[in-house]
Structure formats: C-alpha cells, structure tokens
Amino acid sequence: MPVSSVTAPARPSRPARPSDPVKRVFDVVLATALLLLTAPLMAMVAAAVAVGLGRPVLFRQHRAGQDGRLFELVKFRTMRAPHGELTSDADRLTPLGRWLRATSLDELPTLWCVLRGDMSLVGPRPLLPEYLGRYSPTQARRHEVRPGITGLAQVRGRNGLDWDDKLALDVEYVTRRSFRLDLSILAATIRTVLRREGIAAAGNATAPEFLGSRR
C-alpha cells in the first residue's frame, strides 16, 4: 500500500527550538558521511541477506513519524516471510537476523530515512501506525519531533524496558531535547551497541506489542 494512501491522526508539533535547524544540518551531514563510509559494508550485508534469507533484501514498513504522519521505514531484512507455522517473530528470526540486530547493522539503510527528512539520528523510535490511538495524551507527545535511529530510551535499556518506561523516556527526550543531549545519546549508543545491551524484551525475540498504558 503506498504511504500516501494511509491516514493517521494529526498531532501538532510544538514550536521549533533554536537548536532544531542545527540538528537538521547535523543529521544531513553525518547521515551522508555514514552512508558513504558504510557503502561497502552495506553491500556485504545485502549479499549475506540475499544468500541467507533470499529477496527482498530490504524490509519496508509504514511507521508513524512527526505529527503522526506515516512514512516508509527501510531496514535490512532479518526474518523469514510468515508462512505455515512460521508466524511468530521467534520462529521467523534467523541466526543471521539475530546477529544483524545485535550489531544494529540492520539499521544502516535507515540513514536514507534521515536524509529524506522522515527521521533524525536521535529521537523517539518510530513505532507502528496502529499504536497512535493507544497512547495517553502525555505519551503522544513523542510525535512532536522526528523519530530517531537511536534515542534516550535506546541508551537507557532499549527493548529491556517495559512500554511505560520506554514511552516516558521518549517524552523526556522531547521535553529536554538539545544538540548537547543528542551528542551524549549518540556517544552512549556506541557503548550500547558494542555491549549488545537490551536487544530483545525478556521472553520475546524482539519486543511485545504495545496495547496501551497501564498507568
């Protein structure tokens, strides 16, 4: 389904901060540099996915972005297509997929979403469109900014956090956001990826579905 045919509730952004234009320039420069530097690595990952999982190499899915607008997220594929008994994430996730997720190499194509302006390097992670109607008014503030490849919740526990804590950190980021905070989150992200922390929620291959807040 084309992105333009999907509708989502509008959630107005707050007024821009002085640091927001600097953040956008930083996103474009660093995402461009990373795409160029990692091009050979992405070619190798694409070949590994093509051999290990077949085509398509890329995973594409609609996600909710700033103001609830939908966009197409692009990542390397880590799971087999659902068929027969292969329906759960645990069944569909391959050893290659687990390694790509553990090293975050599956996220490299997402840099293209940053260049397009759909995402930022730092911000709340983009979640599924069906979650839009399940947030509390406070939790919905996570959509006041562009979603990010990494964020405050990703360096404070990632998928090891429960949904309430994860969404509270997303809102904390929206409230406290600054260029300095972004730099500290990017530095912490390197440590989180190297330590392979919080890759999956307890008892899940990835993360459980968000069904609404308990609080």
Side-chain angles (χ1 to χ4, degrees):
M1 182 184 296
V3 175
S4 59
S5 68
V6 182
T7 59
R11 299 178 188 277
S13 298
R14 291 292 179 89
R17 295 187 178 183
S19 63
D20 289 347
V22 177
K23 176 184 175 74
R24 181 60 189 149
V25 171
F26 181 74
D27 280 347
V28 171
V29 171
L30 189 55
T32 301
L34 289 174
L35 279 170
L36 293 174
L37 288 172
T38 62
L41 178 59
M42 284 199 285
M44 288 189 284
V45 173
V49 173
V51 172
L53 292 171
R55 295 179 183 278
V57 167
L58 295 177
F59 169 79
R60 301 173 186 272
Q61 188 177 55
H62 292 145
R63 296 291 176 94
Q66 187 174 17
D67 300 336
R69 290 191 297 268
L70 304 192
F71 70 97
E72 187 178 64
L73 180 76
V74 183
K75 300 171 61 175
F76 282 119
R77 198 155 69 91
T78 59
M79 295 185 186
R80 301 184 183 92
H83 67 88
E85 296 181 352
L86 296 178
T87 54
S88 70
D89 287 352
D91 292 332
R92 296 165 53 212
L93 194 60
T94 66
L96 172 62
R98 287 191 181 88
W99 181 76
L100 290 176
R101 284 171 175 259
T103 56
S104 296
L105 291 176
D106 61 318
E107 300 278 358
L108 288 175
T110 312
L111 291 167
W112 177 244
C113 299
V114 176
L115 281 186
R116 285 191 315 208
D118 293 325
M119 292 180 64
S120 174
L121 293 172
V122 180
R125 285 288 297 175
L127 299 177
L128 296 172
E130 49 264 43
Y131 292 1
L132 284 171
R134 302 175 187 174
Y135 300 125
S136 70
T138 298
Q139 291 169 341
R141 290 194 58 208
R142 70 189 308 282
H143 289 285
E144 292 176 7
V145 298
R146 286 189 178 94
I149 294 178
T150 185
L152 193 57
Q154 279 60 54
V155 299
R156 296 273 185 88
R158 210 172 172 185
N159 285 328
L161 300 171
D162 66 29
W163 277 110
D164 286 333
D165 290 338
K166 195 182 300 184
L167 296 175
L169 286 168
D170 288 344
V171 176
E172 180 182 337
Y173 171 78
V174 171
T175 303
R176 294 177 50 209
R177 73 184 190 277
S178 68
F179 188 58
R180 184 175 182 178
L181 178 60
D182 281 7
L183 292 179
S184 70
I185 290 173
L186 287 172
T189 298
I190 296 173
R191 293 195 296 271
T192 299
V193 171
L194 291 177
R195 293 171 181 170
R196 302 189 180 187
E197 297 172 338
I199 298 167
N204 290 268
T206 53
E209 180 180 358
F210 174 62
L211 300 174
S213 179
R214 301 190 309 271
R215 297 173 184 171

